Amino acid sequence: GSLNAAPFTTTADLSWGSVALEVGGYDWRVMEDGEDPDSGIIADIGTTASGVEMVTATGLVGSTQYDLYVRTNCSGGPTAWSTVYNFSTVPANDMAANATDLTTSIGANSTGGTYSNVGATAQTNEVGYGSCWTNTGLSAADNSVWFKFTAQANSNYTISTDFGGSSLNDTIINLYTIVDDTDLSSGVVEIGCDDDSGNGTFKAVINNVALIDQQVYYIQVDGGPAGPMGSTGTFDIGVFGPTLSTEAFEEV
């Protein structure tokens, strides 16, 4: 029957339709993307009891694509594997409340495509692309992930995704203060926004924005439509400005 997956960060709730000839349950396999179910790399595997058509796969990696296969155990043995069902797990920083904290890495950027927005979703009441975004061809915030940092002085800061070695070549950055990161229906104030200010790319850079010492700022990174792989992929990010002192670093 039809396959379905409700993915989270490290787990996914799997389900499929019943098959009339089933007598011994169902075999299921979650494979790494593109792997053969009989000989490839398995992410999780199992067999359900008769009549059970749902299970939770565990041990998965956030923001990763997987393939689901299911087969029926009938009186004559197992059937062939189903047609592949593709799904992506959710990034760990998909929601503002789970934003990745960059405070201790202010002054340096990640490298090699450290982060990913594959499998990202829009949080309830999540802000769209911000004041700098005028293209209405994409649903706002559908591919967004979140970061945050605490400003270390009343000073100017730069936030950038304009680095090589990643697959997401079109990014949009919004910078906010947020009163309650579990409820985005109010108390969200835009501080900065950029789309396409990168050097020769469609990547985003918010340059020299004035921030307040010890204020927590939230960065929403989304994917735009111009990248060769679409609106999702890997990327790097850096926050540049006054950094933590040795004493403050030890206390964080």
Side-chain angles (χ1 to χ4, degrees):
S2 58
L3 277 59
N4 189 52
F8 302 96
T9 301
T10 59
T11 65
D13 292 338
L14 313 176
S15 61
W16 51 88
S18 62
V19 176
L21 298 178
E22 178 268 313
V23 294
Y26 301 86
D27 298 328
W28 60 271
R29 291 185 179 183
V30 176
M31 310 297 299
E32 293 194 5
D33 187 38
E35 294 287 327
D36 185 278
D38 289 314
S39 59
I41 301 173
I42 298 171
D44 199 7
I45 186 174
T47 299
T48 65
S50 181
V52 177
E53 292 125 27
M54 58 189 307
V55 70
T56 298
T58 62
L60 307 182
V61 177
S63 201
T64 302
Q65 294 181 329
Y66 291 99
D67 296 337
L68 169 63
Y69 292 90
V70 176
R71 67 184 181 188
T72 307
N73 290 314
C74 302
S75 57
T79 63
W81 289 108
S82 65
T83 301
V84 63
Y85 180 88
N86 309 107
F87 68 94
S88 297
T89 48
V90 177
N93 57 341
D94 188 45
M95 303 297 179
N98 297 325
T100 299
D101 196 334
L102 300 176
T103 304
T104 59
S105 60
I106 292 174
N109 59 278
S110 57
T111 59
T114 299
Y115 299 104
S116 174
N117 70 334
V118 171
T121 61
Q123 184 173 347
T124 302
N125 296 315
E126 186 167 349
V127 188
Y129 288 118
S131 61
C132 63
W133 181 247
T134 58
N135 187 332
T136 58
L138 295 177
S139 298
D142 278 358
N143 300 304
S144 64
V145 288
W146 289 88
F147 301 85
K148 66 181 180 180
F149 68 96
T150 302
Q152 298 303 300
N154 293 326
S155 184
N156 288 352
Y157 282 77
T158 292
I159 299 96
S160 177
T161 56
D162 190 19
F163 309 105
S166 57
S167 64
L168 182 59
N169 288 328
D170 189 358
T171 53
I172 303 160
I173 296 176
N174 297 322
L175 183 67
Y176 303 105
T177 57
I178 299 177
V179 173
D180 181 356
D181 57 18
T182 66
D183 180 5
L184 303 185
S185 61
S186 63
V188 179
V189 178
E190 181 183 302
I191 305 300
C193 179
D194 185 69
D195 177 34
D196 298 348
S197 290
N199 182 21
T201 73
F202 293 101
K203 295 179 181 178
V205 182
I206 296 177
N207 276 304
N208 296 317
V209 59
L211 303 183
I212 300 171
D213 185 31
Q214 297 307 304
Q215 172 69 53
V216 178
Y217 294 91
Y218 289 79
I219 307 165
Q220 179 195 44
V221 178
D222 213 321
M229 296 182 68
S231 299
T232 60
T234 61
F235 64 94
D236 290 298
I237 189 168
V239 176
F240 303 94
T243 59
L244 286 171
S245 67
T246 303
E247 292 80 8
F249 182 84
E250 290 172 350
E251 293 173 0
V252 171

